[in-house]
Amino acid sequence: MLTRIDHIGIACFDLDKTVEFYRATYGFEVFHTEVNEEQGVREAMLKINETSDGGASYLQLLEPTREDSTVAKWLAKNGEGVHHIAFGTADVDGDAEAIRGKGVRVLYDQPRTGSMGSRITFLHPKDCHGVLTELVTSNPEH
Amino acid sequence: MLTRIDHIGIACFDLDKTVEFYRATYGFEVFHTEVNEEQGVREAMLKINETSDGGASYLQLLEPTREDSTVAKWLAKNGEGVHHIAFGTADVDGDAEAIRGKGVRVLYDQPRTGSMGSRITFLHPKDCHGVLTELVTSNPEH
């Protein structure tokens, strides 16, 4: 069961400048940064609020680390903006399977590693009214 | 001060079909519906979680009611997808003024009426790294 908006993924050309925009404009601070080599992104997580399921909602700012990454291609086509949205669940495996069974394309056979040691998968935007949609189970150590 | 992700605004061609997608796929139920004549949209709010500031996070599904509405033009250009993101604040007037003072264009001189009797304004996406950004003060009667 999806119990929260886990994050909004925002693609940008320059992570440092975009982090500085969110800090200077709204006072949002960086909670975590990492490089995900598999996804080809460098990212910053800004925690915005905690949520009623015991988790939290973040902005995830994403800068591509290589030209052949999904986010680099997306930026070349669309420019900066909202790249995906993510819902949090305690059971990404079970929810992904249930959603696959409803005819929505799940992009990974098995969940992969996302931000802060989470386990994630994505749903095809063409099956989700144009919205690239991620499912996330947080790592409780974070 | 912005204290939560208030909602993610998603533009769609057919509100009823999109509501049904979110219900059938994820179990999300409609919390509220309304027509905003000024914005030229028919909308459904799906509550996803409550937030640590005493508010909540929603998906806001938006269908244009007329061809000259902002959302209709956006859909014609982009197709379905994430149209804007919104942050909640106890003081939309004060925050909008402070943000205007930092050189970010605020689209309304004064906040206008948004979903569920809230007061809202928007920030220019070109000043926000491509993200159309809304600020919301909820109506406590909702």
Side-chain angles (χ1 to χ4, degrees):
Chain A
M1 190 170 70
L2 310 184
T3 53
R4 69 179 175 279
I5 295 177
D6 185 86
H7 63 266
I8 300 169
I10 296 172
C12 62
F13 291 115
D14 184 319
L15 185 62
D16 296 338
K17 281 187 184 169
T18 309
V19 161
E20 176 55 18
F21 167 79
Y22 279 97
R23 191 201 62 71
T25 310
Y26 308 124
F28 297 156
E29 299 288 349
V30 172
F31 181 78
H32 176 83
T33 60
E34 70 181 86
V35 173
N36 186 318
E37 296 288 359
E38 183 186 12
Q39 307 275 348
V41 293
R42 189 164 77 95
E43 62 180 60
M45 300 293 279
L46 315 181
K47 187 190 274 193
I48 311 303
N49 57 265
E50 295 181 342
T51 55
S52 43
D53 65 349
S57 294
Y58 301 85
L59 297 187
Q60 180 187 52
L61 307 178
L62 300 160
E63 178 196 88
T65 56
R66 52 175 200 263
E67 287 184 8
D68 65 344
S69 72
T70 308
V71 170
K73 292 175 188 169
W74 188 91
L75 275 165
K77 181 179 175 191
N78 299 284
E80 293 186 314
V82 177
H83 175 262
H84 68 272
I85 68 174
F87 298 113
T89 167
D91 179 17
V92 64
D93 299 83
D95 283 345
E97 272 314 296
I99 289 167
R100 196 193 305 269
K102 292 171 184 175
V104 174
R105 281 170 284 180
V106 178
L107 299 188
Y108 302 154
D109 287 339
Q110 298 294 330
R112 299 184 188 177
T113 301
S115 302
M116 301 187 286
S118 61
R119 299 181 65 245
I120 66 170
T121 196
F122 286 93
L123 311 180
H124 199 300
K126 288 193 178 171
D127 294 345
C128 299
H129 288 269
V131 178
L132 177 59
T133 302
E134 180 180 343
L135 309 180
V136 182
T137 295
S138 299
N139 183 331
E141 292 179 14
H142 272 276
Chain B
M1 191 170 70
L2 310 184
T3 53
R4 70 179 174 279
I5 295 177
D6 187 85
H7 64 266
I8 301 168
I10 296 172
C12 62
F13 291 116
D14 184 318
L15 185 62
D16 296 338
K17 282 186 184 170
T18 308
V19 162
E20 176 55 19
F21 167 79
Y22 278 97
R23 192 201 62 72
T25 309
Y26 308 124
F28 297 157
E29 300 287 350
V30 172
F31 181 78
H32 176 82
T33 60
E34 68 182 88
V35 172
N36 187 318
E37 296 289 358
E38 183 186 14
Q39 307 275 350
V41 293
R42 188 164 79 94
E43 63 180 60
M45 299 293 280
L46 315 182
K47 187 191 274 191
I48 310 303
N49 57 265
E50 295 180 341
T51 55
S52 42
D53 65 349
S57 294
Y58 301 86
L59 296 187
Q60 180 186 53
L61 307 179
L62 300 160
E63 178 197 88
T65 56
R66 53 175 199 264
E67 287 184 7
D68 66 344
S69 72
T70 308
V71 170
K73 291 175 188 170
W74 189 90
L75 275 166
K77 181 179 175 191
N78 299 286
E80 294 185 316
V82 176
H83 176 262
H84 69 272
I85 68 174
F87 298 113
T89 167
D91 179 17
V92 65
D93 300 82
D95 283 344
E97 272 313 296
I99 289 168
R100 195 194 306 270
K102 293 171 185 176
V104 173
R105 282 169 284 180
V106 179
L107 299 188
Y108 303 153
D109 286 338
Q110 297 295 328
R112 299 184 187 176
T113 301
S115 303
M116 302 187 284
S118 60
R119 300 181 66 246
I120 66 171
T121 196
F122 286 93
L123 310 181
H124 199 301
K126 289 192 178 170
D127 294 346
C128 299
H129 289 269
V131 178
L132 176 60
T133 302
E134 181 180 341
L135 309 180
V136 182
T137 295
S138 298
N139 184 331
E141 293 180 12
H142 272 276

